[in-house]
Amino acid sequence: MTSLKSKTTQTMKPATAAKKLGIYLNAAPAEFQEGVVSREELNTLQADPPAWLQELRRNGPHPRPVVAAKLGVSVSGLARGGVTEALTTEQIEALKTENPAWLERERTIQADVRKEAVRIKEKNEQQAAATPPAKTR
C-alpha cells in the first residue's frame, strides 16, 4: 500500500522574508507585512522584484544591517554611533559626506577586524598545509 504525501508549501513570516530580501519590514506594503510568504513567492520577489521592492532597495528606509554595510561598519558600530533606526539612502549619503568622528573610528575598527580575520585564515591555512595527513589503517 502506498501513501500519497501531499507536498506542503514552505512559508515564512514577513519579518523573515524581509530579512532575506534586505528590506525594512515596516516600510513594506501592508499586504506583505500582514501575510505569510511562501518560498515560491520569495523566489519570485528576488528574481523579478515589483516596483515597491525596487524602490525600497534603492531609496530605503534600509534595515540596520544594510545601513552598516553601506557605511562600512558593523551593526554594533552603528549602535555605538547612536544610529538605532532604519535610514534612507539620502540619510546614509549625508552621513558619508559629513563623516563624523564616530563613523571614521568605526570604519577603522571594521578594517582592523577584517585584517585580523584574513591573518587568522592565512595562519590556519599554513598550519593545515604543514600538518601531515593522518594515517589510515
Side-chain angles (χ1 to χ4, degrees):
M1 177 178 236
T2 61
S3 63
L4 296 174
K5 285 189 175 180
S6 63
K7 188 175 180 182
T8 58
T9 303
Q10 183 183 8
T11 60
M12 61 192 82
K13 294 178 182 176
T16 304
K19 188 173 184 179
K20 290 180 181 287
L21 292 169
I23 62 169
Y24 184 57
L25 178 62
N26 293 344
E31 56 270 10
F32 181 86
Q33 292 182 39
E34 295 165 0
V36 294
V37 180
S38 71
R39 173 63 63 186
E40 187 177 311
E41 290 169 328
L42 179 69
N43 291 340
T44 301
L45 288 170
Q46 289 173 325
D48 186 23
W52 66 265
L53 181 54
Q54 291 176 19
E55 178 66 19
L56 273 179
R57 286 179 170 168
R58 187 179 323 103
N59 297 318
H62 303 286
R64 288 184 308 147
V66 174
V67 173
K70 287 180 180 271
L71 291 173
V73 300
S74 67
V75 174
S76 299
L78 280 180
R80 286 190 292 270
V83 178
T84 57
E85 296 298 318
L87 299 179
T88 64
T89 300
E90 188 176 308
Q91 291 169 316
I92 293 168
E93 292 304 318
L95 265 176
K96 285 180 178 179
T97 302
E98 183 183 318
N99 199 23
W102 72 264
L103 181 57
E104 202 170 310
R105 183 177 56 252
E106 291 302 330
R107 283 180 168 167
T108 302
I109 290 169
Q110 189 70 4
D112 291 344
V113 167
R114 288 184 181 127
K115 285 179 195 172
E116 181 64 7
V118 168
R119 186 192 69 77
I120 290 170
K121 181 182 177 189
E122 289 172 351
K123 179 182 172 190
N124 289 342
E125 288 172 352
Q126 289 173 352
Q127 287 177 341
T131 304
K135 291 183 180 180
T136 58
R137 291 186 157 191

